[in-house]
């Protein structure tokens, strides 16, 4: 259905407009106070999680008139943005770097890994989910690990833990044997999916640009 409606091409065009606009990162999130000076003794709350973010125009991923050097230094293929009137009130527009404190909801929903919606996020998480299901299928297979259920052993936590541990060991042995029996030149599923995606689009897919 996605191939018939050309949705892959539309999604790739969307990524080409959005991914260059991502704020750059200057370090990982960490706890820190937003106020200057010594903390009060009565303050018993944990410091907020903060992160230093960098303007994408400073990193040369977009061209912005508020960063005149980006209009020259950025690549010709970099998209040009048009800041709205009054954009100078934003710290990220007047400075090259800004430190942001995450609120509770932002911290709860934050995904610091692969960018959601990107091709890397889609392909790698698809492979990860498939691999997880494969591992559980091997562990629960009577022909691979020899364990059909947990009703034939003493129903005590230590014994069940030993049985599960032996299942993991034998599952690892099965996985290693299958790995060594693969033919030469085998490519992983993520590489194969990227090749298929490239063939469908007719050009290189849009990947997440470096943000550091």
């Amino acid at each position: 259905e996605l191939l018939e409606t050309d949705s892959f091409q539309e999604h790739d065009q969307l990524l080409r407009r959005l991914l260059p606009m991502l704020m750059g990162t200057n370090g990982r999130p960490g706890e820190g106070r937003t106020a200057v000076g010594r903390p009060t003794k009565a303050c018993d709350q944990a410091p907020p999680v903060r992160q230093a973010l960098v303007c994408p125009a400073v990193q040369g991923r977009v061209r912005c008139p508020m960063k005149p050097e980006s209009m020259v230094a950025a690549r010709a293929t970099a998209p040009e943005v048009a800041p709205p009137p009054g954009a100078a009130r934003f710290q990220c527009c007047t400075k090259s770097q800004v430190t942001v404190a995450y609120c509770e909801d932002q911290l709860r929903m934050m995904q610091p890994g692969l960018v959601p919606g990107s091709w890397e996020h889609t392909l790698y998480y698809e492979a990860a989910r498939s691999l997880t299901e494969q591992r559980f299928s091997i562990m629960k297979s009577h022909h691979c690990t020899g364990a059909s259920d947990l009703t034939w052993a003493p129903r005590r936590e230590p014994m069940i833990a030993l049985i599960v541990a032996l299942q993991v060991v034998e599952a690892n042995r099965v996985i290693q044997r299958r790995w060594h029996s693969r033919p030469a030149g085998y490519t992983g599923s993520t590489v194969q999916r990227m090749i298929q995606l490239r063939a469908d689009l007719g050009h290189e897919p849009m990947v997440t640009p470096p943000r550091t």
Side-chain angles (χ1 to χ4, degrees), residues 55-66:
C55 173
V58 175
Q59 295 182 328
R61 288 187 276 110
V62 298
R63 291 178 294 164
C64 179
M66 300 195 68

Side-chain angles (χ1 to χ4, degrees), residues 65-112:
M66 300 195 68
K67 299 291 190 298
E69 61 277 5
S70 67
M71 303 295 290
V72 180
R75 295 180 301 174
T77 56
E80 183 176 349
V81 297
R89 70 181 185 273
F90 298 112
Q91 293 185 17
C92 59
C93 291
T94 56
K95 300 180 180 179
S96 299
Q97 176 177 305
V98 60
T99 301
V100 177
Y102 293 111
C103 66
E104 184 177 348
D105 287 340
Q106 290 174 329
L107 189 62
R108 177 176 54 86
M109 296 184 293
M110 183 176 61
Q111 299 188 33

Side-chain angles (χ1 to χ4, degrees), residues 116-127:
S118 63
W119 292 124
E120 299 96 321
H121 181 276
T122 303
L123 298 182
Y124 280 103
Y125 273 69
E126 177 189 20

Side-chain angles (χ1 to χ4, degrees), residues 6-170:
D6 206 19
S7 297
F8 283 123
Q9 191 69 247
E10 294 178 2
H11 187 70
D12 190 72
Q13 294 299 325
L14 177 64
L15 294 179
R16 292 183 184 277
R17 295 194 302 268
L18 294 181
L19 292 182
M21 306 292 181
L22 294 175
M23 294 289 287
T25 56
N26 190 4
R28 298 180 179 180
E31 292 185 349
R33 295 186 303 110
T34 55
V36 297
R38 298 181 60 183
T40 60
K41 295 183 179 180
C43 182
D44 56 352
Q45 295 181 352
V49 176
R50 308 171 68 196
Q51 187 173 18
L53 304 178
V54 184
C55 173
V58 175
Q59 295 182 328
R61 288 187 276 110
V62 298
R63 291 178 294 164
C64 179
M66 300 195 68
K67 299 291 190 298
E69 61 277 5
S70 67
M71 303 295 290
V72 180
R75 295 180 301 174
T77 56
E80 183 176 349
V81 297
R89 70 181 185 273
F90 298 112
Q91 293 185 17
C92 59
C93 291
T94 56
K95 300 180 180 179
S96 299
Q97 176 177 305
V98 60
T99 301
V100 177
Y102 293 111
C103 66
E104 184 177 348
D105 287 340
Q106 290 174 329
L107 189 62
R108 177 176 54 86
M109 296 184 293
M110 183 176 61
Q111 299 188 33
L114 300 173
V115 179
S118 63
W119 292 124
E120 299 96 321
H121 181 276
T122 303
L123 298 182
Y124 280 103
Y125 273 69
E126 177 189 20
R129 289 193 300 266
S130 176
L131 191 64
T132 302
E133 294 175 1
Q134 181 195 82
R135 296 300 186 261
F136 279 113
S137 176
I138 293 175
M139 285 185 59
K140 294 184 294 184
S141 173
H142 177 70
H143 301 285
C144 294
T145 60
S148 57
D149 50 56
L150 296 178
T151 60
W152 49 268
R155 298 185 181 182
R156 299 287 183 179
E157 285 189 11
M159 184 60 69
I160 295 178
L162 287 175
I163 294 174
V164 174
L166 291 174
Q167 282 183 280
V168 174
V169 171
E170 186 57 30

